[in-house]
Amino acid sequence: IKKVTVTLSADEVCEVLKINPEVLEDRRRKKWIKSWPAGDYRYYKAYDVAALSERLNRRKMLRRLLKIPLISS
């Protein structure tokens, strides 16, 4: 059995996650996602893209939750 790794280009990652290339580059520099260069391009594993998606969505959700007014009893 041969192991196959699905890879995406930076453009594909941005399209899938609906983020700007600047956001992807920023998260890569912060080591939120691993990548490797191949010529003039960077490539990302599908697993790492899924992990970044979860992390980005978690931050959005936490920001929304923090906006909910507290009810004192």
Side-chain angles (χ1 to χ4, degrees):
I1 296 175
K2 201 172 199 179
K3 198 175 191 180
V4 177
T5 303
V6 177
T7 59
L8 293 95
S9 69
D11 290 339
E12 292 170 325
V13 172
C14 290
E15 184 178 336
V16 168
L17 298 181
K18 296 180 175 104
I19 60 174
N20 296 325
E22 295 81 16
V23 173
L24 179 60
E25 179 64 18
D26 181 62
R27 297 318 185 261
R28 186 186 66 78
R29 285 187 187 140
K30 290 180 179 179
K31 301 186 187 304
W32 283 26
I33 186 168
K34 298 175 192 172
S35 70
W36 71 93
D40 293 338
Y41 300 98
R42 296 196 84 72
Y43 290 93
Y44 303 84
K45 292 182 181 177
Y47 177 85
D48 294 331
V49 174
L52 177 61
S53 174
E54 189 276 328
R55 193 167 181 182
L56 292 170
N57 288 327
R58 183 176 356 143
R59 289 188 67 170
K60 288 178 188 175
M61 181 61 69
L62 287 173
R63 275 190 247 128
R64 287 184 198 137
L65 289 172
L66 289 173
K67 291 181 182 179
I68 296 173
L70 296 175
I71 301 172
S72 58
S73 46

